[in-house]
Amino acid sequence: MKCKISKKGYIPPQTCVGNLNKAISDYVEGKLDTATRKRVEAHIKKYARCRACVTSFKKTVKILKKQPKTKVPSQIHNTLRKKLLALVAKKSK
Amino acid sequence: MRKKKANLGRLESLLVSKSKKGDVDAFTELIKKYEGKIWGLLRNVCSTVPSEIEDVYQETFINAFKNIKKFRETSNFGTWVYRIAANQCFMKLRKKKRSKVESLDAHLESDIHRHAMLRKLADSSRLPEKEAGKQEVQDKVRKALSKLPREYKIVVTMRDIDGLTNEEAAKALKMSIAAIKSRLHRGRTLMRNSLSDFMENGAKR
């Protein structure tokens, strides 16, 4: 597999792991088939920059998945329930 | 595990059929199951102004209740409500774009956001270091997310923050799985780029 990463300067994310670019998302989620996963692993083992790139991608996904679930302000429940009950009452008239 | 999931599915189905008959209590149970995810989606994608999020949130569930007879249960209730929430959200954003006072809103929003940030900063100074760290991560993520184009923001929120599968997100947004995957990849890449400095500095600490 040919790595397209330039040796100097900024690494455009889309060339991050060469031809396997689109496989990164599936790779970090463990959704790749065995053959493709092995190709990605062989590639990142060989190229340090690609390895770093995949690691940072993994970290990003991990951070996103760890974001706390938001809580709905409690007063909204009552307002919404009142509106729903009013809707039912209006229908039954 | 599978049995538990099947039981939950049956319970949801029962609540849906009761809701179709106008049972507000059953519908409230359904709301409870998905409220956090819908609220989070609206907060990340739709607006930073609490009162606006509140309006769209209520419109979402009121519309869902009004139209629940049309829900054919080919997907789970959550996916169906997600679609309604996304539509409500896009409608709101379109209206906002058309509005002549958009720039005024933006100023107001950024002011509110800035005040909220300052309050958070003030609060975080009283928190233990570990908690402040977490708060810092959350703020960074929210800021990075708010900069994403809308089409990536909604997919990243659904998939990574709310934990939907590609299939569920595709159904909710009426898109192909390939399109979801592509947007998710682009969105994650942009998020990675926005958070890269923070991740490097964080690693050094």
Side-chain angles (χ1 to χ4, degrees), chain A residues 13 21 25-26 29 31 53 56-57 59-60 63-65 67-70 73 76-77 79 81 83 88, chain B residues 24-25 28 35-36 39-40 43 54 58 62 65 138 141 159-161 181 185 188-189 192-193 199:
Chain A
N21 174 43
S25 269
D26 284 340
E29 288 187 290
K31 284 182 181 171
C53 189
S56 66
F57 206 89
K59 269 189 193 171
T60 306
I63 288 175
L64 285 168
K65 288 191 187 291
Q67 284 305 291
K69 301 286 171 269
T70 44
I76 294 178
H77 291 130
T79 324
R81 193 177 159 77
K83 283 184 181 174
V88 173
Chain B
V24 174
D25 289 332
T28 308
E35 59 180 12
W39 183 264
R43 201 177 75 145
E54 200 176 313
Q58 292 195 1
I62 287 170
F65 190 64
Q138 285 170 30
V141 170
R159 281 283 282 103
D160 286 340
I161 300 177
K181 279 186 168 186
H185 178 71
R188 282 173 171 175
T189 306
R192 196 265 315 269
N193 294 350
M199 285 195 288

Side-chain angles (χ1 to χ4, degrees), chain A residues 10-14 16 20-26 28-29 31 52-73 75-88 91, chain B residues 22-25 27-28 31-32 35-37 39-41 43 54 57-59 61-62 65-66 69 137-139 141-142 145 156 159-163 165-166 181-182 184-186 188-189 191-193 195 198-200 203:
Chain A
Y10 174 69
I11 310 162
Q14 58 270 32
C16 193
L20 288 177
N21 174 43
K22 287 194 175 158
I24 309 179
S25 269
D26 284 340
V28 299
E29 288 187 290
K31 284 182 181 171
C53 189
V54 170
T55 306
S56 66
F57 206 89
K58 256 185 193 172
K59 269 189 193 171
T60 306
V61 175
K62 201 174 169 186
I63 288 175
L64 285 168
K65 288 191 187 291
K66 274 191 173 175
Q67 284 305 291
K69 301 286 171 269
T70 44
K71 279 190 180 173
V72 186
Q75 77 274 11
I76 294 178
H77 291 130
N78 296 336
T79 324
L80 181 58
R81 193 177 159 77
K82 274 179 194 166
K83 283 184 181 174
L84 291 172
L85 287 169
L87 208 69
V88 173
K91 262 188 184 176
Chain B
D23 186 333
V24 174
D25 289 332
F27 192 71
T28 308
I31 294 176
K32 275 184 195 165
E35 59 180 12
K37 288 183 174 183
W39 183 264
L41 178 82
R43 201 177 75 145
E54 200 176 313
Y57 174 85
Q58 292 195 1
E59 281 160 21
F61 283 112
I62 287 170
F65 190 64
K66 276 182 184 170
K69 283 184 182 166
V137 178
Q138 285 170 30
D139 289 341
V141 170
R142 281 203 70 188
L145 203 56
V156 169
R159 281 283 282 103
D160 286 340
I161 300 177
D162 292 345
T165 61
N166 283 329
K181 279 186 168 186
S182 166
L184 178 65
H185 178 71
R186 285 291 300 152
R188 282 173 171 175
T189 306
M191 284 298 286
R192 196 265 315 269
N193 294 350
L195 296 171
F198 175 69
M199 285 195 288
E200 277 171 27

Side-chain angles (χ1 to χ4, degrees), chain B residues 90-120:
Chain B
F90 292 150
M91 237 156 59
K92 183 90 184 169
L93 290 170
R94 273 197 297 270
K95 265 187 202 167
K96 220 172 167 182
K97 210 174 177 182
R98 278 200 298 266
S99 164
K100 285 179 184 174
V101 290
E102 190 191 14
S103 58
L104 189 68
D105 277 350
H107 279 297
L108 202 63
E109 273 181 42
S110 63
D111 267 349
I112 290 169
H113 190 66
R114 199 161 49 236
H115 282 125
M117 289 289 285
L118 286 171
R119 267 202 310 276
K120 272 184 186 170

Side-chain angles (χ1 to χ4, degrees), chain B residues 135-173:
Chain B
Q135 190 62 53
E136 193 187 353
V137 178
Q138 285 170 30
D139 289 341
K140 288 275 177 189
V141 170
R142 281 203 70 188
K143 202 174 170 189
L145 203 56
S146 71
K147 285 179 188 166
L148 286 190
R150 193 177 75 184
E151 62 268 31
Y152 301 143
K153 201 188 300 184
I154 195 159
V155 175
V156 169
T157 302
M158 282 184 170
R159 281 283 282 103
D160 286 340
I161 300 177
D162 292 345
L164 265 70
T165 61
N166 283 329
E167 290 75 14
E168 286 169 336
K171 273 187 183 171
L173 296 173

